[in-house]
Amino acid sequence: MRILVTRPLADGEAIARRLADMGHRALLAPLLTPRFLEGPVLDLSQTQAILITSANGVRALAGRTPKRDIPIYAVGPQSAQAARGEGFLRVRSAAGDAGALAQAVSGWADPAAGVLLHAAGEEAGDGLCQNLTAHGFATRRANLYRMEKAVHLPAAATLALRQGEVDAALFFSPKSAALFAECARRDGVSAAGMTAICISANTAEALKDLRLADIRIAAAPNQDALLACL
């Protein structure tokens, strides 16, 4: 199968390698590009752990602190792997979404032991910190990066869609799915005949107005479950 990968480039390249191992061909079409924000070294003196909800949060964090021994609580296996790749030594994964991370952190951390810092993107919601605050934790948010949206689909993706050469596309968030739908309409291309592989029902909902051949939703909100839909 030829599969459109809509993740940011660094993550997309890693997925492309996995798809190749599975016998598929990847067509990279990053719709979001991370821009890491410059700033001073983070003050982590009162921080007991750092909350990570994306691999880009890890990459941004790595550029703002030399510390690698502070606990990292990651939303899932991909962000946990990224943290280990950046040299962080104490990494735990909730293997789910932000809700699963909040539940896991409630068991991993101590409300009396210090602040939980969310290494976040500017566009991320505050639900994770609010959830943990309601359970007695002190939380702090640090916006370390922003995601820039594509205005158009990459030329190679546009051509492949017009020629009916895309069998499926992977969508990892409602934001990227909605952006794909916007770009497809703007570029005048059809996704008819393509199967959308979505990480959640909310992600699938963002594609409801496209004439897709099929929509499949992962059994769990992680990359392994997503790829199992192929």
Side-chain angles (χ1 to χ4, degrees), residues 120-140:
E122 287 183 339
E123 306 85 357
D126 289 325
L128 176 60
C129 285
Q130 291 173 355
N131 191 330
L132 289 166
T133 298
H135 285 82
F137 289 93
T139 64
R140 181 165 67 91

Side-chain angles (χ1 to χ4, degrees), residues 198-225:
C198 301
I199 203 163
S200 67
N202 287 340
T203 301
E205 178 69 14
L207 300 167
K208 65 179 182 181
D209 293 332
L210 298 181
R211 294 187 301 115
L212 295 161
D214 190 18
I215 296 179
R216 303 174 190 172
I217 300 173
N222 60 61
Q223 182 172 290
D224 287 343

Side-chain angles (χ1 to χ4, degrees), residues 54-66:
S54 74
N56 285 311
V58 171
R59 296 173 187 126
L61 173 67
R64 296 284 293 273
T65 178

Side-chain angles (χ1 to χ4, degrees), residues 43 69 83:
D43 179 5
D69 59 348

Side-chain angles (χ1 to χ4, degrees), residues 104-147:
V105 169
S106 294
W108 294 340
D110 179 357
V115 174
L116 296 171
L117 174 68
H118 182 195
E122 287 183 339
E123 306 85 357
D126 289 325
L128 176 60
C129 285
Q130 291 173 355
N131 191 330
L132 289 166
T133 298
H135 285 82
F137 289 93
T139 64
R140 181 165 67 91
R141 176 191 176 108
N143 289 334
L144 302 182
Y145 68 99
R146 69 169 60 96
M147 300 300 291

